[in-house]
Every structure is written in C-alpha cells, then in structure tokens.
C-alpha cells in the first residue's frame, strides 16, 4: 500500500471513530463506559494521520525538483520498452469500508440476529438442582422496572421468591418463540461490545395482537410462579396485564457481567 493511501486511511478511521463517539452511535457497538477511550483514540488517530500527511507534503516539496527529473527519465525509458508499471490504484478500494462508515452507521443488534446467536442461561441452571440464593427485596413502588436479565435470574435462583404475585415492568423487542407458538420479549446483553453479544428473553402470555419482530414494547405483568423451572431453557413466562409500544432506546443493550 502506498504511503499516501495509508495516511488517508488512518485519517478517515480517526474521523469515523470521532463521529460515532460524538453522535452517540457508538452505543450500538460498545458499552457506555468506553466513551472516554473512544474519544482519546479518535483524537490520537486523527492527530497521527494529520501529522503524517503534513510531513509527507513538507518532504515532498523539498525533494520535488530532483524527483521530477528522475521520474521523467524513468518514464522515457518505460515508453521505449513499451510498458508501464501500475500505480496500485486498486489499493484505494481499501478506503471504501471506512468511507461507508462515515455515511452509513450499521444499526444496533435486534431480533434479526437472534437465530444465529447463543441465548443466556442464568448461572448454575446447567446443573440439575441449582443453588438458590436470597435476592434483595423488590422496591416498594407498584410495578418496579426491572431488566430482563434480573427477572430471569430472580425467577430461577431467588430463594425468597420475590417475584411471586408482584407486578413488574420490563421493556424489550418482540422475538419469535424458539419452540412452539407465541412471542417472547428479548434484549441483547453485552459485557464489553457486540462481539460478545447474547440474547435473553421472557415468554409473554396474554398478548393476542399480532406483533412484528423487533417491535419495542413496555410490558407490565406478573411472572408465572415456577415457569422458569418448568421450561427446558429456563425462560420464565410473564403474564401480561398491560403493554404499549415504545421507541427503541438510545442504548438498547443490557449490561452483562
């Protein structure tokens, strides 16, 4: 790859990193805590690319006259022998993916990738009789908002059965049920970035309206007691009492451990 292409590629990568950092689209790929690291990295890459380009321009201007005479002599020699060497124009195609990222940011993961991604199972549920632990009580407010991850963990591992009879509120996107009919409510869980993304879900009971996959819902309901232990995938069933459509949140991923 020619030096000019390398420098321009470096500069475009830095600009792309800064763009997704400042407009918030980085949340589609990594957790929020990485913002300062992306900011510093983007600034550093842009600075390196800019310095390299300026340095090349300065060195090129000082050596321009000498190289001009040498290039003319080589060109005449190549012409006499009936051939020319290529200038590596195909290498500029390497800039296309980075330039595309500047114009079109890939969307956050949703229902579409669930069929090719692994599902999350709560800790210790791989054994026949998982060890139960006492979870802290739920907030006293009516229908407290919980993450789907916490609902699944409480439904399978909570010795205090804190979910029994309690209304809770959850949000997520519609997924087709892995086995049988009906729909699930799902979320993507990441530990660091989308490279380690997995899916977690709740079965929904009581919604008769046909809903498209990736429709975001806020759901209020009660977890059916013992439903997670009866399910082969340790997925609890939420009996829906109320639901409505919502917009996809800016940060649509749940945080994994």
């Amino acid at each position: 790859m020619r030096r000019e292409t390398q420098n321009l590629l470096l500069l475009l990568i830095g600009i792309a990193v800064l763009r997704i950092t400042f407009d918030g689209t980085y949340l589609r790929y990594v957790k929020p805590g990485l913002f300062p690291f992306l900011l510093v990295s983007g600034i550093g890459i842009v600075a390196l690319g800019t310095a390299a380009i300026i340095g090349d321009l300065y060195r090129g201007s000082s050596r321009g006259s000498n190289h001009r005479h040498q290039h003319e002599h080589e060109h005449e020699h190549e012409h006499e022998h009936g051939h020319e060497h290529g200038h590596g124009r195909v290498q500029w195609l390497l800039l296309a993916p980075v330039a595309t990222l500047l114009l079109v940011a890939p969307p956050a993961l949703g229902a579409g990738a669930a069929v090719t991604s692994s599902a999350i199972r709560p800790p210790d549920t791989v054994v026949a009789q998982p060890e139960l632990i006492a979870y802290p009580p739920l907030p006293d407010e009516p229908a407290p908002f919980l993450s789907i991850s916490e609902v699944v963990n409480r439904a399978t591992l909570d010795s205090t059965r804190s979910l029994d009879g309690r209304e809770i509120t959850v949000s997520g996107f519609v997924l087709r049920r892995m086995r049988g009919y009906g729909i699930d409510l799902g979320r993507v869980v990441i530990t660091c970035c989308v490279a380690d993304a997995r899916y977690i879900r709740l079965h929904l009971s009581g919604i008769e309206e046909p809903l498209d996959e990736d429709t975001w819902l806020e759901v209020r309901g009660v977890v059916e007691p013992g439903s997670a232990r009866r399910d082969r995938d340790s997925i609890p069933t939420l009996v829906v009492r109320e639901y409505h459509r919502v917009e996809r949140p800016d940060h649509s991923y749940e945080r994994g451990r």
Side-chain angles (χ1 to χ4, degrees):
M1 182 185 294
R2 297 181 61 179
R3 184 175 176 86
E4 295 89 342
T5 310
Q6 294 175 352
N7 294 340
L8 184 57
L9 182 62
L10 189 65
L11 182 61
L12 287 178
I13 290 175
I15 294 173
V17 171
L18 289 177
R19 173 185 175 274
I20 65 173
T21 301
F22 284 120
D23 68 11
T25 54
Y26 78 97
L27 293 173
R28 302 177 184 179
Y29 321 118
V30 298
K31 62 184 182 181
L34 293 181
F35 174 85
F37 300 98
L38 289 173
L39 181 61
V40 172
S41 298
I43 293 174
I45 294 172
V46 168
L48 287 174
T50 303
I53 291 174
I54 294 175
D56 284 350
L57 291 175
Y58 177 78
R59 287 190 295 269
S61 62
S62 64
R63 299 194 305 238
S65 57
N66 294 332
H67 285 178
R68 189 181 308 112
H69 293 300
Q70 182 181 357
H71 177 73
E72 290 174 354
H73 176 74
E74 291 176 351
H75 180 74
E76 291 175 358
H77 179 73
E78 290 174 351
H79 182 71
E80 291 174 358
H81 288 79
H83 71 276
E84 294 184 1
H85 295 292
H87 293 282
R89 293 185 180 89
V90 70
Q91 296 172 355
W92 288 90
L93 294 176
L94 295 173
L95 300 176
V98 181
T100 301
L101 184 59
L102 288 171
L103 300 174
V104 181
L109 292 179
V115 293
T116 59
S117 301
S118 59
I120 292 179
R121 298 188 67 188
D124 300 329
T125 58
V126 293
V127 299
Q129 293 185 346
E131 180 181 355
L132 301 182
I133 57 177
Y135 276 69
L138 293 176
D140 292 334
E141 62 190 86
F145 193 94
L146 301 179
S147 68
I148 294 181
S149 300
E150 183 174 359
V151 174
V152 172
N153 287 333
R154 284 179 179 269
T156 52
L157 302 174
D158 186 10
S159 61
T160 68
R161 304 173 67 91
S162 59
L163 292 177
D164 287 2
R166 285 294 307 272
E167 278 196 347
I168 58 172
T169 303
V170 292
S171 71
F173 52 83
V174 173
L175 280 167
R176 291 192 183 94
R177 188 162 293 186
M178 292 188 295
R179 299 177 181 87
Y181 298 98
I183 60 174
D184 291 345
L185 191 71
R187 290 294 287 264
V188 177
V189 179
I190 66 172
T191 302
C192 177
C193 62
V194 293
D196 56 47
R198 291 187 294 168
Y199 284 73
I200 195 162
R201 57 176 76 203
L202 299 173
H203 297 319
L204 296 183
S205 173
I207 296 182
E208 303 298 333
E209 175 189 3
L211 296 170
D212 295 331
E213 280 201 318
D214 255 338
T215 301
W216 275 79
L217 302 176
E218 184 171 289
V219 180
R220 181 171 177 167
V222 178
V223 173
E224 183 181 320
S227 56
R229 294 183 176 275
R230 295 192 298 268
D231 187 272
R232 60 180 297 181
D233 296 306
S234 302
I235 300 175
T237 296
L238 183 69
V239 180
V240 178
R241 295 183 175 175
E242 181 183 343
Y243 72 95
H244 59 273
R245 291 175 174 82
V246 294
E247 295 294 325
R248 176 191 290 271
D250 292 335
H251 181 48
S252 60
Y253 304 139
E254 289 189 3
R255 175 79 179 274
R257 291 186 292 179

